[in-house]
Amino acid sequence: MKGCGALSSRHPVSWTQRHRLGQIRSESDAGVYRSHHPSVALRIRGDLQTVALERAWIRLQERHPVLRCGFDLSHFTWRLDAPAAAAGIILADSEPDETAGSAVGRMERLVDAPFDFEQGPLARLILLRRQEEDLFALVLDHLVGDFWSLDLLMSDLTTLYADELGLPTDPLPPVSLPYPDQVRQQNAYLDSAAGLRALDVLSESLKTVGPVPETRFEGFSGEIHAGYDRTGLVRATFGSGLTSAVFASARSYRMTPWTLIHAALHRALYALSDQQSIGTTLMTANRESTSVHQTVGFLASKVVVATWRDDQAGTAEFLRGFQRSVMNALDFTAIPWPRLIAHMEPSALGCHAKVPYISFNPQNSTMRRWLGGWRFTGCEAAPLDLAGSTPDAAVVISLTEVEADIEVSLYHRTDWYPAEAVEKLWKATEQTLREWVGEAGFADEAP
């Protein structure tokens, strides 16, 4: 038997969970709270059957019992032996004279509300019923899930909902490697001789930038600390012309378009700083193995991509070097980022970042199915934009492939970088890309 009921004792957590638990405990000691909740938020129009949805939601929690299991914050262990009962839907009805904007604000508060980290559950389903539409949110704490997990949960939920309506459905795929088993395997590897050797090699390769690479480019405020309640957002789009040129030139450079954009970011950082080495973190899903394709858990992590200044390098040489840096980083995805932090900077484990670092998060069209890509039977769904969690990095650059364009969201902690500095960084990145696609012989439609 697998899942929560398989163990009679408390389960050692993963390094990623340990890092998050440390953050939670330090926040609790300081009397503050910062939500870190991946979520799917939708506007739903149509005859959504609440009773059938709640039955499907309960079945979903039974299929993925990690959603119901809390943690011992004193000993950093996972309470797999004591799952909470499956929770019902959090239902709310529109209040008299409530505007659309205030309804969305109420949803944000419900999404961001704290979980009971010790007793569980660590997931919630929220439905705010309004006359013209329902506002829906499926919310996890990062301790038990990531954005891939949300895609799985939504796929399962919509299938179970159709089944509850009595419609024919295909059987859900088996969960071949539940998250607790994956954590056991990962911890065993990290404690092995091979895992320790890999950790030493990775640490040596990053000794000039560190596991949390401090990056100070033009416009940095100089502040020692940055508050999490002061977050800004800069938005941009590539446009169809530049998008097409980037994809075409990336093929000519024999790299992915996301790697080309990431390289342009590094080049821009060298232009806007005097640093001799640059490190940025790259988000990874860690789902290469088919054994975890149906696993709900916090498998996503980061790798550090490090480069060194060479102002004399031409475009082709710089890109070859950057490509090698990315490949070297991805060779070590079996080492969770928090394990690297614990090895290189033990005092930073379980803490929010105390230095400004930059995180690069590309999401192609197939990775963004959760943005309104599912349908509840008999209903229409569209994305609901919520404020979301505050970033740990000084700047989080999220790129989303949408049809023939790329949308860019740059979340930044304003105590460290004002909007003007972030806008200048992105303009420098975009200008670098335009130069590179021009050198490759591909024009774009920009003036």
Side-chain angles (χ1 to χ4, degrees), residues 50 90-96 98 103 106 110 127-131 134:
T50 304
I90 298 174
L91 284 173
D93 290 311
S94 181
E95 298 174 348
E98 184 176 47
R106 186 146 62 111
L110 291 169
L127 195 64
L128 175 55
R129 296 178 291 196
R130 308 186 72 234
Q131 184 173 359
D134 294 323

Side-chain angles (χ1 to χ4, degrees), residues 14 35 40 77 94 99 126 132 147 158 162 217 228 245 271 273 275 280 355 360-361 368 389-390 404 428:
S14 70
S35 67
V40 167
T77 53
S94 181
T99 65
I126 306 165
E132 64 276 16
F147 285 102
T158 52
F217 60 88
Y228 284 96
S273 76
Q275 291 188 202
T280 56
V355 298
F360 186 77
N361 184 17
R368 297 288 287 191
S389 301
T390 53

Side-chain angles (χ1 to χ4, degrees), residues 317-339:
E317 183 180 357
F318 182 84
L319 291 178
R320 283 195 297 270
F322 189 84
Q323 181 88 310
R324 286 194 298 270
S325 295
V326 171
M327 296 304 295
N328 289 340
L330 294 177
D331 281 343
F332 291 94
T333 54
I335 306 293
W337 187 50
R339 182 65 186 97

Side-chain angles (χ1 to χ4, degrees), residues 422-442:
V422 176
E423 290 169 354
K424 187 171 183 178
L425 171 64
W426 186 249
K427 287 180 181 178
T429 302
E430 189 175 290
Q431 180 58 37
T432 300
L433 282 170
R434 294 189 189 282
E435 293 172 0
W436 287 351
V437 301
E439 290 178 25
F442 299 95

